[in-house]
Amino acid sequence: LGLALATCVLPAYAADAPKPAAIDACALLTPDEVSVIVGRGVEAGQPFDNGITNQGAHSTTCIWAAPLAPGVEPDPNLRLGGRGFVVLSVMNWPGGPDDARKFLDDFQRAFQEHGIDSKPVSVQVGADDGLWWGDGVAARKNGMSFGVSVAQFGDKATRQPQAEMLAKIVVKRLPAR
């Protein structure tokens, strides 16, 4: 959903490097918190353990989706059939803060290379760094980075503050290194 874009340009990590632990992305936000912030009920988060990336980070994802309104058929042309959803991807990096910083730098590079349409802008979410990249908030703290996106719940002007509020909760719940 765009978050993978930023991780694809980091150099590969050494195969013998220590493997970072997984972080349960679904444990960082509750369905009630997501529902209140986006203004629609969402189902329990669906977890995905993406394992160790080719950059050495342990990546996990959680998706909270809202059900379609009664009588509305899924639209095969839209993500999740048109259901609004929130996605949180968390990366625990082997090199700590330096690697986590590269994750955010890659959003700037992706904009310069036309991989994303919106120029990333700094946001304050309580992390070491944070930015809005047009479809979500990317941030880093404690040698971890994460991206949170709110999709199909209104326009970007509505979704940005929602993503920022969710990011502030995530920052407070990231484990200490």
Side-chain angles (χ1 to χ4, degrees):
L1 301 177
L3 295 175
L5 171 71
T7 63
C8 67
V9 291
L10 289 176
Y13 77 104
D16 59 350
K19 308 276 189 284
I23 297 167
D24 182 357
C26 290
L28 299 174
L29 294 168
T30 69
D32 287 343
E33 290 166 333
V34 173
S35 294
V36 166
I37 289 172
V38 300
R40 292 258 324 266
V42 298
E43 299 165 349
Q46 295 296 310
F48 301 91
D49 185 337
N50 309 310
I52 303 293
T53 68
N54 63 354
Q55 299 86 22
H58 197 131
S59 173
T60 59
T61 301
C62 191
I63 298 174
W64 296 265
L68 288 170
V72 174
E73 292 295 318
D75 183 339
N77 299 314
L78 296 175
R79 296 178 291 182
L80 292 181
R83 298 166 63 192
F85 63 95
V86 169
V87 60
L88 171 64
S89 293
V90 181
M91 284 72 52
N92 189 8
W93 295 91
D98 289 338
D99 283 351
R101 180 178 292 114
K102 292 175 191 174
F103 174 74
L104 272 67
D105 292 344
D106 284 336
F107 282 96
Q108 301 291 351
R109 187 173 16 269
F111 173 72
Q112 292 166 355
E113 296 172 0
H114 309 289
I116 60 175
D117 296 334
S118 297
K119 179 174 177 45
V121 295
S122 180
V123 294
Q124 300 301 315
V125 293
D128 297 330
D129 290 312
L131 57 85
W132 167 256
W133 56 277
D135 272 332
V137 170
R140 69 176 182 92
K141 178 127 178 139
N142 299 338
M144 292 159 263
S145 60
F146 68 89
V148 61
S149 294
V150 178
Q152 299 172 174
F153 286 116
D155 63 12
K156 285 184 183 183
T158 301
R159 295 189 321 261
Q160 180 177 351
Q162 293 170 337
E164 288 180 27
M165 286 187 274
L166 292 166
K168 288 176 183 179
I169 296 169
V170 170
V171 164
K172 291 177 184 175
R173 294 187 181 150
L174 284 172
R177 238 171 125 81

